[in-house]
Amino acid sequence: MADPGASDGRREGRPAGRPGDVVLGRRAALAGLLAAGAALAGCARIPTDGPIATSTDLAVEDLGRAIALPPRPGSSPDAIVDGFLRAAAIGSSQTAREFLADRNIPWDADGDVVLYTSSRVTVVRGPGSDPDTPPTGQARATPSAAARPQDGARAEVAVRLDGVVAGLDRFGRLGVLPRAQVRRLRYGLVARDGEWRIDRLVDGLPISLSQFETSSGHVPTPLYFPDPSGRWLVPDVRYIREGFAATQTQVVTALLEGPSAWLAGAVTVPRTPGPLRLRVSSVPEPVGGVATVDLDESALALDEQAQALLREQLLRSMAEANGTAVVTRVEISVDGQLLPGAGGAGPTPGAASLPRTADQAFAGSTYVAVDAKARILLGQRTGPTRLLDGLQLTGGARPAMSYTDAPRTYALVVTGKDPGARTLKIAEGTATPGDVVTAAELTSPSFDWSGWVWTSPRRPAGSVVAAILVGGRVRRVDVAAPWLRSGQVVALRVSREGTRAVVLVDDVAADGRRASRLLLCGVRRQQSGVPVSLGDPVRLLPDLVRAGDVAWSGAGRVTVLGSRRRTDKRLLVQPWVVDVGGDPSSRGTTGTADLGAILTGADGKQVTSTAVWERLAPELAPTLAVGDTADDLYVGTAKGDLFHYRQTGSWERSRAGVFRPAFPG
């Protein structure tokens, strides 16, 4: 269609530029000063086939407000497809539809997303498809000089996506592919009123990694689900677009759809005759901080305690969604009538027993460590340490301590009479430790909030070990993990509330070379809290090369001590902070410095990353401890070094005589 002001390429009120280009708002100058890093999460199945497309990469490097431009008169077929994809990628579906031959052409802008690194747009039929004319690879900056097409003429444009690394489903669940893929897509165009427009396309949204991190508006957003005990709300990280009116609708719809597959059995959903759904397709904007969620008749089957629990889920999830009005209260209704346990005046039924989130149970400043004689020390970060009489670490693993101190429980992996065997022992206070399990090698122990301590043999056989002290006696269970039968387990860490676990596994090739895998899974339990099994895992950080240790660094984050390759192929060894679920980017996810900057050789010069890794190799049992924040890190080396990373952004050597520290958990 003809555009008023076509002679100079401008539409009133909009700046000139390429079709679908991004024009940054006034905050761009300030936003460009911000360091924008995205630790990407998620864990859903990724579509491996089917129709999804993308455009060329956007040159947007900050967090400014992105504005898509409409089609320019005389644009070529490839410029139209490129502009459409650019507009769709930043969430401007209204502008994107201006590139379509008919605004009523079916296109689901909220469908699945594919994330890629680079793309190429080529006209395969129609103007510009002459083999002597090279493909553009991006939209033209000026209108085509060719004559305008006759109405009804057709063209076809191919889009090749290179480095497809991940995808999002319509509920914001991110899935990371084990290796990069190539996708090829086709778009059909028809001439209308002398202009090319798209009349054949695919649902969904293709987005480059740089767009995803800077201008698409997708933000990691935790949705909360209760554990079977009803004591905890567990975050399931999704990617929801911020700054759009539909944000809260996306949050509520995704929450009602249920948890990600890897959390199945580790968390619960409301028991109703049918699935819970919104009665209408959207959630109205909050009024005075109060959001009203109107559900269908299935919600009437919930008792008042279940209603209160669902309201708590919705409140925590909606309150933490970005780019929307502040939500301080949620009311649930059915056909406009408030449910007694989920709205109205007065106290919430059962409020005293409502669950809390794992970030409300953080570790604190108490730590356990060992001294140069392998004796156990208990201390505060800012105070003196004291010896725990009767406890001594005689193996290379890190000690562990429980979250509760009534009484405090400790776990140690020690070497017994057989120097080729290790035994996990647990003790309350300074009581005589009890034996849990003996194996050739064991991972360092890990506590959950309810007092279960976890470990795994280095060479797994389809299960791990959990134990708890009951009346001074050790109760041990073998926790099934059928998928854990290959490789060598380097570390096993259970989340604070005990519903999730991260497992670090080394795969050893025939020539002895090792490659690390970081896996995330759900912990399934009986109603009594006894662990039963680890659910099927999803992989985090697929470009991780080697890793030596991992720790939970928040309710929805883990920190892994390992190496990844930079764009210049150099190994970067450091702690990497990851929102649970994965990271589709290979550029890094934390601002912590390369450990090569703090480890020096005998000549006093900075050591290479290779030399750093010689000190941090898993065989040499490096340790990682995380304090109150993800930036409060302690790294220990096999040679007795202990370094502390402070929030000021620098590493420093920690206090002398303290080794292998561990905070509660």
Side-chain angles (χ1 to χ4, degrees):
M1 81 184 57
D3 192 345
S7 59
D8 64 356
R10 296 177 183 267
R11 170 174 289 189
E12 184 176 353
R14 295 189 182 186
R18 292 183 301 177
D21 255 354
V22 168
V23 177
L24 301 177
R26 292 183 179 179
R27 292 188 301 168
L30 293 176
L33 299 176
L34 301 177
L40 308 180
C43 30
R45 178 184 64 85
I46 305 245
T48 56
D49 53 17
I52 293 189
T54 189
S55 67
T56 55
D57 207 17
L58 283 175
V60 178
E61 300 294 341
D62 55 42
L63 301 178
R65 173 73 177 180
I67 303 172
L69 296 180
R72 293 189 62 186
S75 293
S76 60
D78 54 333
I80 290 296
V81 170
D82 188 85
F84 166 76
L85 294 172
R86 288 172 180 268
I90 65 171
S92 183
S93 58
Q94 182 175 355
T95 300
R97 288 191 179 277
E98 295 186 34
F99 292 84
L100 304 183
D102 185 337
R103 283 182 172 269
N104 295 321
I105 289 177
W107 172 54
D108 185 2
D110 298 320
D112 293 343
V113 170
V114 163
L115 300 178
Y116 67 96
T117 55
S118 63
S119 66
R120 183 184 179 111
V121 180
T122 307
V123 179
V124 296
R125 182 164 66 89
S129 61
D130 188 321
D132 294 331
T133 303
T136 63
Q138 62 179 10
R140 293 183 174 91
T142 58
S144 171
R148 292 195 174 187
Q150 293 184 352
D151 286 1
R154 297 204 59 82
E156 189 170 357
V157 171
V159 178
R160 173 187 166 118
L161 309 180
D162 292 308
V164 175
V165 293
L168 286 172
D169 70 9
R170 64 174 54 251
F171 301 109
R173 292 178 284 220
L174 176 71
V176 179
L177 295 173
R179 61 187 59 86
Q181 299 180 356
V182 175
R183 303 277 178 89
R184 293 177 175 84
L185 309 150
R186 298 268 177 138
Y187 291 82
L189 293 89
V190 65
R192 297 277 177 86
D193 297 327
E195 299 289 348
W196 290 107
R197 293 294 184 265
I198 300 169
D199 70 342
R200 180 168 52 83
L201 74 166
V202 295
D203 285 338
L205 182 61
I207 304 178
S208 72
L209 284 176
S210 65
Q211 289 171 322
F212 190 73
E213 294 180 358
T214 58
S215 58
S216 76
H218 288 90
V219 175
T221 303
L223 306 184
Y224 288 94
F225 297 90
D227 78 326
S229 72
R231 295 175 58 191
W232 300 99
L233 284 177
V234 181
D236 182 5
V237 177
R238 308 294 179 86
Y239 283 83
I240 305 295
R241 272 188 156 160
E242 67 171 344
F244 301 94
T247 298
Q248 293 293 11
T249 299
Q250 295 178 61
V251 168
V252 174
T253 302
L255 182 73
L256 297 178
E257 184 65 19
S260 297
W262 67 273
L263 272 174
V267 296
T268 63
V269 295
R271 295 182 179 180
T272 56
L276 288 175
R277 295 286 185 266
L278 287 170
R279 191 175 67 87
V280 294
S281 60
S282 62
V283 176
E285 286 292 317
V287 177
V290 179
T292 301
V293 178
D294 197 28
L295 301 179
D296 61 15
E297 290 76 7
S298 296
L300 296 174
L302 300 173
D303 60 28
E304 290 194 14
Q305 184 63 27
Q307 294 169 19
L309 179 57
L310 177 59
R311 184 172 77 167
E312 196 73 9
Q313 286 181 257
L314 289 166
L315 175 60
R316 285 303 304 260
S317 302
M318 298 175 75
E320 294 191 26
N322 289 302
T324 62
V326 174
V327 176
T328 58
R329 181 179 176 85
V330 171
E331 295 178 345
I332 302 175
S333 62
V334 173
D335 198 15
Q337 298 297 313
L338 292 180
L339 298 180
T348 300
S353 61
L354 287 176
R356 55 179 173 173
T357 58
D359 57 354
Q360 295 171 313
F362 216 75
S365 60
T366 302
Y367 69 86
V368 62
V370 297
D371 66 7
K373 297 181 180 180
R375 296 174 300 181
I376 304 301
L377 302 172
L378 184 67
Q380 303 283 330
R381 263 178 297 202
T382 57
T385 60
R386 65 180 178 87
L387 285 174
L388 293 176
D389 295 333
L391 298 180
Q392 187 165 11
L393 187 71
T394 55
R398 175 191 58 246
M401 63 190 299
S402 64
Y403 287 98
T404 58
D405 57 2
R408 184 79 73 180
T409 303
Y410 303 93
L412 315 169
V413 173
V414 303
T415 304
K417 295 180 180 179
D418 180 359
R422 302 288 186 269
T423 299
L424 173 64
K425 294 177 175 284
I426 54 177
E428 289 182 348
T430 57
T432 302
D435 292 356
V436 176
V437 61
T438 298
E441 293 181 277
L442 292 169
T443 61
S444 294
S446 170
F447 276 97
D448 63 35
W449 188 263
S450 57
W452 287 91
V453 62
W454 297 71
T455 189
S456 172
R458 294 281 187 181
R459 299 184 183 276
S463 66
V464 300
V465 176
I468 193 170
L469 283 174
V470 180
R473 294 188 176 184
V474 175
R475 180 185 180 184
R476 168 190 161 175
V477 296
D478 292 327
V479 181
W483 48 271
L484 194 57
R485 293 184 178 275
S486 62
Q488 297 181 10
V489 180
V490 176
L492 165 66
R493 302 298 292 269
V494 177
S495 61
R496 291 173 174 81
E497 82 294 335
T499 62
R500 299 159 294 161
V502 284
V503 185
L504 188 58
V505 178
D506 262 9
D507 296 317
V508 185
D511 60 2
R513 288 184 299 176
R514 293 172 176 262
S516 298
R517 287 180 292 141
L518 183 61
L519 306 173
L520 170 72
C521 63
V523 177
R524 298 166 179 169
R525 299 174 183 257
Q526 299 174 0
Q527 190 67 32
S528 62
V530 176
V532 175
S533 64
L534 301 183
D536 291 338
V538 292
R539 188 172 181 177
L540 312 183
L541 290 185
D543 65 337
L544 186 66
V545 179
R546 294 292 309 281
D549 202 1
V550 64
W552 287 87
S553 48
R557 287 182 171 178
V558 295
T559 299
V560 58
L561 176 61
S563 59
R564 301 169 79 186
R565 293 200 182 277
R566 298 173 9 139
T567 53
D568 60 5
K569 305 301 182 183
R570 185 171 72 87
L571 279 178
L572 189 61
V573 183
Q574 66 176 62
W576 304 91
V577 181
V578 188
D579 288 338
V580 292
D583 178 9
S585 167
S586 61
R587 289 189 290 276
T589 56
T590 182
T592 55
D594 187 349
L595 287 171
I598 59 168
L599 298 181
T600 57
D603 57 0
K605 296 181 179 179
Q606 179 178 325
V607 299
T608 64
S609 289
T610 301
V612 171
W613 195 245
E614 289 174 354
R615 297 196 190 187
L616 299 179
E619 307 91 279
L620 301 179
T623 60
L624 173 69
V626 181
D628 280 334
T629 70
D631 292 328
D632 187 20
L633 305 175
Y634 291 82
V635 171
T637 73
K639 293 188 176 182
D641 301 311
L642 179 63
F643 299 96
H644 182 202
Y645 178 80
R646 295 188 177 276
Q647 295 180 2
T648 55
S650 61
W651 289 95
E652 62 181 32
R653 290 186 181 273
S654 188
R655 65 174 65 184
V658 176
F659 306 97
R660 302 184 182 281
F663 294 95

